[in-house]
Amino acid sequence: MDNVKILAPPVPNVPWQERPDGLNGVPVWRYDENPVIGRNPVKGVARIFNSAVIPYRDGFIGVFRGEQVNGVPHIYLGRSEDALHWQFDEEKISFVDEEGRPFMPVYAYDPRLVEVEGVYYLIWCQDFYGAAIGMAKTTDFETFTRIENPFLPFNRNAVLFPRKIGGNFMMLSRPSDSGHTPFGDIFVSESPDLVYWGKHRHVMGKSKEWWEMLKIGGGAAPIETTEGWLLFYHGVTGTCNGYVYSIGGAILDIENPSVVKYRCENFLLTPQEWYEERGFVPNVTFPCATIHDSESGRIAIYYGAADTYVGLAFTMVDEIVAYIKEHSVVREDDSEIGRR
Ligand code: BMA
């Protein structure tokens, strides 16, 4: 097996559980005490799911999609020593604009949390004449400064890369409609200053594989490895009873991430456990973050389950990269070699 390395700081306290016997060939396994976040996790919040966590100081911090008891989603801050047991603030995150005036989105969902050069960026979906991407930054998790919306509506799913490439910030996103979008490909855009975004390139589209033939969208922030950017994304299929969201894997070129080096034809995880198949929206596994340790190669994947819970799954960088490469099918329409 290739000796693949994660290129990121070590996180020795990454949550972890050894691989069980009896996997179906895919080197991804669930935490056996899933879900890690259950219903009614904090006063006024009925469900937490599709949420992002990151190492912070001696422990972990995260931004959580909390579905309030009035049904409207907002972002809540949570802290944890072990990334398994979380304490949430009762108040949703309130933002300020760049002049210091209060800003509260009408709604906010599917947050991501990515550190670039010591600044933590939140990216989420909010209202801007329909669903669009919102962004904010913080350095202390006390003041959250909203910055410009990066993209025009409609777009409901965006993920920042954890470092600049060629001097620019890079962001994956999935242009869409304002509803339950029955289409969608992943694009990448770049910006020198997080204000002006351009050089939009196609990364990859829905595929012929049945599990992702409706749409796809970026998931966790890409992990830099010696083989390229390891991306866990969501792939969606439509059935007679609704959408099914699985987790897919791809590896993008380090210097030009619009180029797909490998893309796994098989899903890496698909709804199977009760907390994935049963909930507010059945059959959803939706990755939003990983915690990964460059020393051991361990990767913990955080995913929303059935729009109701947060689940955790594990893999090893060398095993997952080998699996993606072994089962890779890159299509003509993937990468910037497609239409422009
Ligand atoms: C998508 C988003 C996600 C959600 C998924 C399944 O369009 O709204 O937040 O998990 O649908 O309901």
Side-chain angles (χ1 to χ4, degrees):
M1 191 171 290
D2 300 336
N3 192 16
V4 186
K5 292 266 175 259
I6 294 172
L7 304 172
V11 183
N13 53 346
V14 59
W16 187 250
Q17 205 164 49
E18 290 303 330
R19 175 194 182 115
D21 295 333
L23 294 182
N24 62 1
V26 186
V28 175
W29 56 98
R30 293 165 176 82
Y31 181 47
D32 68 6
E33 290 182 45
N34 271 350
V36 290
I37 303 171
R39 285 186 188 255
N40 303 308
V42 64
K43 196 171 150 203
V45 174
R47 291 168 280 123
I48 277 180
F49 55 99
N50 299 6
S51 301
V53 304
I54 203 167
Y56 186 62
R57 299 194 174 145
D58 293 338
F60 302 89
I61 202 158
V63 291
F64 294 84
R65 170 177 176 163
E67 223 84 339
Q68 303 175 118
V69 290
N70 65 2
V72 179
H74 274 280
I75 306 174
Y76 290 76
L77 197 66
R79 292 182 180 78
S80 175
E81 283 176 14
D82 58 6
L84 298 169
H85 303 89
W86 291 90
Q87 284 84 47
F88 302 106
D89 288 356
E90 265 184 35
E91 293 302 319
K92 52 193 179 246
I93 292 179
S94 54
F95 301 88
V96 292
D97 68 17
E98 286 173 283
E99 281 77 50
R101 290 179 299 240
F103 167 75
M104 180 59 76
V106 181
Y107 59 76
Y109 65 79
D110 295 358
R112 309 302 204 286
L113 180 60
V114 184
E115 182 189 353
V116 186
E117 298 176 359
V119 179
Y120 296 86
Y121 294 95
L122 278 72
I123 309 107
W124 69 90
C125 176
Q126 68 173 15
D127 180 57
F128 173 53
Y129 299 88
I133 301 301
M135 257 185 110
K137 62 182 178 181
T138 185
T139 49
D140 56 9
F141 290 94
E142 282 169 22
T143 304
F144 294 87
T145 307
R146 185 215 178 174
I147 56 180
E148 291 285 337
N149 290 346
F151 306 129
L152 293 167
F154 305 111
N155 201 316
R156 290 184 293 123
N157 191 67
V159 186
L160 192 66
F161 280 72
R163 73 164 169 85
K164 293 178 181 172
I165 301 175
N168 286 338
F169 292 94
M170 306 289 283
M171 188 132 74
L172 299 173
S173 80
R174 199 265 314 282
S176 65
D177 64 18
S178 199
H180 299 295
T181 318
F183 62 88
D185 292 359
I186 300 177
F187 291 80
V188 66
S189 309
E190 53 188 281
S191 171
D193 53 10
L194 295 175
V195 176
Y196 299 101
W197 290 87
K199 289 197 182 171
H200 311 292
R201 299 285 183 269
H202 187 260
V203 179
M204 54 190 205
K206 66 178 184 182
S207 87
K208 293 197 186 71
E209 309 321 330
W210 284 27
W211 64 272
E212 56 171 351
M213 67 191 312
L214 191 75
K215 60 176 169 176
I216 59 171
I223 302 173
E224 187 168 9
T225 77
T226 47
E227 284 285 330
W229 293 103
L230 171 58
L231 176 68
F232 296 105
Y233 65 96
H234 70 262
V236 184
T237 193
T239 73
C240 58
N241 281 328
Y243 294 173
V244 176
Y245 284 66
S246 303
I247 302 180
I251 297 171
L252 313 178
D253 184 79
I254 282 289
E255 291 311 321
N256 181 0
S258 72
V259 173
V260 181
K261 288 176 70 181
Y262 308 101
R263 178 174 178 179
C264 190
E265 67 174 329
N266 301 334
F267 54 72
L268 303 180
L269 190 134
T270 199
Q272 131 182 345
E273 302 295 332
W274 67 265
Y275 50 87
E276 298 161 351
E277 292 182 338
R278 202 172 82 205
F280 188 72
V281 181
N283 296 318
V284 180
T285 53
F286 195 96
C288 287
T290 58
I291 296 173
H292 40 273
D293 175 36
S294 49
E295 291 288 319
S296 61
R298 295 172 172 178
I299 300 174
I301 305 167
Y302 282 78
Y303 63 98
D307 287 10
T308 302
Y309 308 100
V310 172
L312 186 53
F314 305 107
T315 189
M316 291 291 293
V317 69
D318 49 359
E319 291 178 42
I320 198 70
V321 167
Y323 186 83
I324 291 171
K325 286 170 75 169
E326 188 187 340
H327 298 278
S328 176
V329 181
V330 177
R331 290 161 197 83
E332 257 175 48
D333 199 36
D334 289 340
S335 305
E336 68 159 4
I337 45 179
R339 278 162 286 145
R340 214 205 269 179

